[in-house]
Amino acid sequence: MQLNGLASTILVVWFVISSLALIGLLAVIAVALTKLQEKLEEVATKAEPLFAKTDALVVLADEKLRSVGERAETLLTTSEEIATNVQVRVEQTGGTVQRTVNAPLIQANAVASGLTRAWETFTRREKATVAKAAEIGDESPTVETQKQGAKVYGG
C-alpha cells in the first residue's frame, strides 16, 4: 500500500509540527525546572542559617532541661529525706509527750477523780447520818435537805 504525494506530505508536516511542539514543551519544562532549581538553592541558602540557629537552640534547651531535671531530682530527693526525718521526729516527740505529759496528767486526773468520788461519798454519808438523826427528832440547823431521788452510797 502506497500513499499518494499529498497524504505523505500531510503526514510528514504533521510529524514535524508535533515533534517541534514536543521539543518546545520539553524546552519549557527544562527552563521551569532550571528556575525552580535556582529558587530551591536560594531558599536552601536562606534556610541553612535558620536550621543552624534552631539546632543551637535545641541543644541549649536540652542542656537547660537536663540541668533543671537534675536539680528537680535533687530537690525531690532532699524533700523526701526531710519529710521522712520530720515524720520520725514527730512520732518520737508524740511518744515523748505521751510518756512525760499525758501519762502523769491521766494519773493525776484519775487520782483527782477518785478523791472527788471519795469526798462525795463521805459527804453523802454524813448527810445521810444527819438526815436520819433529823427523822428521829434531833434536828440540827446545819442540815441540808437532800434532793429527792438522789442515791446514797455506802449506807
Side-chain angles (χ1 to χ4, degrees):
M1 182 165 145
Q2 245 186 344
L3 293 174
N4 67 17
L6 182 63
S8 291
T9 309
I10 291 175
L11 269 173
V12 170
V13 171
W14 172 253
F15 283 128
V16 169
I17 291 175
S18 62
S19 295
L20 288 176
L22 285 175
I23 290 173
L25 185 61
L26 286 175
V28 169
I29 291 173
V31 169
L33 286 175
T34 306
K35 287 183 179 180
L36 184 61
Q37 180 66 30
E38 290 173 1
K39 287 288 184 183
L40 283 174
E41 288 176 0
E42 183 181 323
V43 168
T45 56
K46 288 181 181 177
E48 280 183 23
L50 292 176
F51 289 145
K53 287 179 183 178
T54 304
D55 187 43
L57 288 174
V58 167
V59 169
L60 181 66
D62 185 49
E63 290 174 3
K64 293 291 183 180
L65 284 174
R66 287 178 195 265
S67 173
V68 168
E70 290 172 0
R71 288 179 186 166
E73 188 174 329
T74 303
L75 286 174
L76 286 174
T77 304
T78 305
S79 299
E80 185 178 343
E81 290 174 2
I82 289 172
T84 303
N85 288 340
V86 166
Q87 180 182 2
V88 167
R89 288 185 180 158
V90 164
E91 289 173 359
Q92 289 174 346
T93 302
T96 303
V97 166
Q98 176 67 27
R99 286 190 308 275
T100 58
V101 176
N102 287 347
L105 284 177
I106 290 171
Q107 290 175 353
N109 192 17
V111 169
S113 177
L115 289 175
T116 302
R117 180 75 139 224
W119 180 255
E120 287 175 358
T121 303
F122 176 74
T123 56
R124 284 185 185 162
R125 201 182 264 175
E126 185 177 280
K127 288 179 185 177
T129 306
V130 172
K132 284 182 184 176
E135 286 177 5
I136 296 174
D138 190 23
E139 288 194 30
S140 173
T142 61
V143 175
E144 295 179 20
T145 56
Q146 290 183 338
K147 296 181 182 177
Q148 284 190 356
K151 295 182 181 177
V152 176
Y153 294 102

